[in-house]
């Protein structure tokens, strides 16, 4: 199977001494004696040197091998196109691109560009999802910061009685737990819906929020189970590695276990990073999605780790550029200025918290779809490389003759 359409005409080339289109009963012209290859026998008058007129290839004709390509003829082997004898190399037309990415193995720039292009092209579907989720998360986070920090300050006060300290600590833990729950739930819903939007964007198909929700809803419970399994697994792994130091009351072993857990948790996180898009797009179960992710990542762990890490760095820088200026303005304007920053009251002032929350909402609205999009496109890229998913995507996008013509 060829990767690109050929540009050669069907049939064989005319024989020596024959002219294309000449009648069959017309005798062939006698062969001319060979000229001296070093110099032409007859030269045109001065001023009449002309470059040969370029030969224009006929339009490709469907059918046969490639687009009417002669068997055994390399692409562009006629009409002076590259890949002919003595030419520079084989010419191939660009891959089909029905949506935000070309249907072929992707590079780093194409993955990042595809994530940003989806957010830019389908912003009516992407931004409302991330805006709602970011707003809900930041409202709960703002309340937790406002009251939990105040309660922690009271709890640390040596003059407070035990009952008051216990009540304040309970309130703090409740607010922090609510913040973590809302954050996890919002990220879960956003990831599920954004996965569906990106899967349609690859095909060049528009999406709506209602469509994304309808397609993602049947898998939400399984996605929740996958998220809990990965989270609990990471916590258990961390505790197991700390356990020898805790049982032996050895600070050195505790530190060693904590340090050893970091690379192991990162390795497992990358190994199973494609489980979420596999679960959503293949409609599989939790354990099958983990197996699929492990299979797709195998042999390319460092590449996926590098792309994921670079994406995190980029989104972190973007978030810092947005959040920190607003946070500083809020603390200076509404937190008592430098005095409030020094004594720590500026960080819990309403004005500072609101400004910081607004910055976080804007940052999450922008960066969340980029992170989700990179993960989905990594999944698509790995399936194209290993399983030829581009053929199915081309058929789903309505690209004609893809696979037999090189798309």
């Amino acid at each position: 199977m060829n990767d690109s359409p050929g540009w050669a005409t069907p049939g064989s080339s005319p024989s020596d001494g024959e002219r294309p289109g000449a009648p069959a009963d017309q005798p062939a012209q006698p062969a001319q004696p060979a000229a001296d290859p070093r110099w032409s026998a007859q030269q045109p008058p001065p001023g009449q040197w002309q470059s040969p007129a370029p030969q224009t290839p006929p339009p490709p004709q469907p059918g046969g091998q490639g687009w009417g390509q002669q068997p055994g003829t390399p692409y562009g082997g006629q009409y002076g196109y590259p890949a002919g004898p003595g030419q520079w190399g084989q010419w191939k037309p660009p891959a089909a691109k029905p949506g935000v990415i070309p249907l072929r193995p992707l590079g780093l720039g194409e993955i990042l560009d595809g994530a940003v292009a989806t957010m830019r092209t389908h912003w009516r579907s992407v931004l409302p999802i991330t805006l709602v989720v970011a707003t809900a998360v930041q409202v709960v986070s703002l309340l937790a910061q406002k009251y939990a920090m105040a309660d922690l300050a009271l709890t640390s006060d040596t003059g407070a009685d035990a009952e008051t300290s216990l009540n304040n600590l309970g309130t703090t833990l409740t607010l922090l737990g609510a913040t973590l729950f809302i954050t996890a739930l919002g990220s879960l819903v956003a990831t599920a819906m954004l996965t569906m939007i990106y899967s349609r964007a690859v095909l060049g198909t528009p999406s709506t929020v209602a469509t994304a929700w309808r397609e993602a809803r049947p898998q939400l419970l399984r996605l929740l189970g996958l998220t809990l399994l990965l989270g609990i697994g990471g916590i258990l792994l961390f505790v197991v590695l700390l356990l020898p130091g805790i049982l032996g009351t050895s600070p050195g072993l505790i530190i060693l276990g904590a340090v050893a857990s970091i690379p192991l948790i990162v390795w497992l996180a990358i190994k199973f990073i494609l489980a979420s898009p596999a679960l959503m797009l293949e409609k599989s179960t939790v354990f099958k999605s983990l197996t699929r992710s492990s299979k797709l990542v195998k042999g390319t762990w460092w590449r996926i780790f590098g792309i994921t890490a670079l994406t995190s760095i980029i989104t972190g820088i973007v978030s810092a550029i947005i959040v920190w200026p607003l946070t500083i303005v809020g603390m200076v304007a509404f937190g008592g200025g430098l005095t409030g920053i020094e004594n720590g009251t500026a960080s819990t002032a309403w004005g500072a918290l609101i400004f910081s929350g607004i910055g976080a909402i804007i940052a999450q609205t922008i960066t969340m779809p980029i992170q989700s999009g990179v993960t989905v496109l990594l999944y698509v890229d790995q399936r194209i490389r290993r399983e030829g998913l581009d053929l199915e995507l081309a058929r789903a996008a309505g690209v004609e003759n893809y696979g037999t013509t090189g798309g």
Side-chain angles (χ1 to χ4, degrees):
M1 181 182 298
N2 293 314
D3 292 335
S4 303
W7 289 96
T9 54
S12 58
S13 301
S15 303
D16 292 336
E18 293 183 353
R19 293 182 293 107
D25 56 351
Q26 181 175 347
Q29 297 295 329
Q32 299 295 329
D36 187 346
R38 297 172 298 177
W39 194 254
S40 174
Q42 296 182 356
Q43 302 183 29
Q48 295 187 9
W49 286 97
Q50 295 180 356
S51 60
Q55 294 177 317
T56 304
Q61 300 295 328
Q65 180 183 8
W67 287 80
Q69 179 188 342
Q70 297 179 17
T73 302
Y75 295 143
Q78 298 182 7
Y79 305 108
Y81 278 74
Q87 299 295 327
W88 289 344
Q90 181 175 351
W91 179 85
K92 291 184 180 181
K97 189 179 179 181
V100 294
I101 58 170
L103 300 185
R104 55 171 171 75
L106 304 175
L108 168 63
E110 291 169 327
I111 291 175
L112 294 174
D113 180 69
V116 175
T118 301
M119 184 175 65
R120 185 175 62 247
T121 305
H122 303 277
W123 64 270
R124 289 182 178 86
S125 302
V126 173
L127 295 186
I129 296 172
T130 55
L131 179 61
V132 170
V133 171
T135 302
V137 169
Q138 290 306 316
V139 167
V140 177
S141 177
L142 184 147
L143 295 175
Q145 290 180 60
K146 176 63 179 178
Y147 295 107
M149 288 183 179
D151 290 340
L152 285 175
L154 290 174
T155 303
S156 60
D157 186 4
T158 55
D161 56 55
E163 183 178 359
T164 302
S165 299
L166 187 61
N167 290 335
N168 291 335
L169 182 61
T171 303
T172 300
L173 294 177
T174 301
L175 288 172
L176 292 177
T179 302
L180 292 175
F181 176 76
I182 295 297
T183 301
L185 186 61
S187 300
L188 187 84
V189 174
T191 299
M193 297 178 68
L194 290 175
T195 299
M196 296 306 173
I197 292 175
Y198 273 91
S199 67
R200 286 175 166 266
V202 169
L203 303 176
T205 306
S207 301
T208 62
V209 176
T211 301
W213 170 251
R214 185 172 61 251
E215 293 178 348
R217 185 174 54 188
Q219 292 293 100
L220 281 179
L221 287 179
R222 289 180 176 178
L223 184 60
L224 176 61
L226 174 65
T227 304
L228 290 176
L229 180 62
L230 292 176
I232 294 173
I235 294 173
L236 289 178
L237 178 62
F238 183 74
V239 171
V240 167
L241 292 176
L242 292 182
L243 197 58
I246 296 175
L247 295 177
T249 63
S250 172
L253 282 178
I254 293 176
I255 295 174
L256 181 62
V259 172
S261 67
I262 294 174
L264 189 55
I265 291 175
V266 171
W267 178 74
L268 290 173
I270 298 300
K271 183 180 178 66
F272 298 124
I273 193 173
L274 303 182
S276 174
L279 183 141
M280 296 301 301
L281 298 178
E282 298 179 21
K283 310 298 181 184
S284 62
T285 61
V286 172
F287 292 102
K288 284 184 178 180
S289 65
L290 292 172
T291 303
R292 287 286 289 147
S293 178
S294 177
K295 179 181 177 182
L296 292 173
V297 172
K298 184 178 180 181
T300 57
W301 189 95
W302 283 107
R303 176 176 179 269
I304 294 176
F305 169 76
I307 294 175
T308 304
L310 180 61
T311 303
S312 299
I313 293 173
I314 293 173
T315 54
I317 293 174
V318 171
S319 296
I321 292 174
I322 297 173
V323 173
W324 280 108
L326 289 176
T327 302
I328 293 173
V329 169
M331 293 174 69
V332 171
F334 302 98
L338 296 177
T339 304
I341 294 176
E342 290 177 359
N343 58 32
T345 59
S347 59
T348 58
W350 276 112
L353 290 174
I354 290 174
F355 268 72
S356 176
I358 291 174
I361 289 173
I362 297 172
Q364 278 191 303
T365 301
I366 296 173
T367 59
M368 190 184 300
I370 295 177
Q371 292 175 319
S372 298
V374 167
T375 302
V376 173
L377 294 181
L378 276 173
Y379 164 82
V380 173
D381 175 58
Q382 288 302 109
R383 288 201 60 187
I384 288 176
R385 292 172 182 270
R386 295 179 181 270
E387 302 171 357
L389 181 65
D390 55 321
L391 299 177
E392 297 182 21
L393 294 176
R395 285 193 290 268
V399 179
E400 297 181 357
N401 301 315
Y402 189 89
T404 58
T405 65

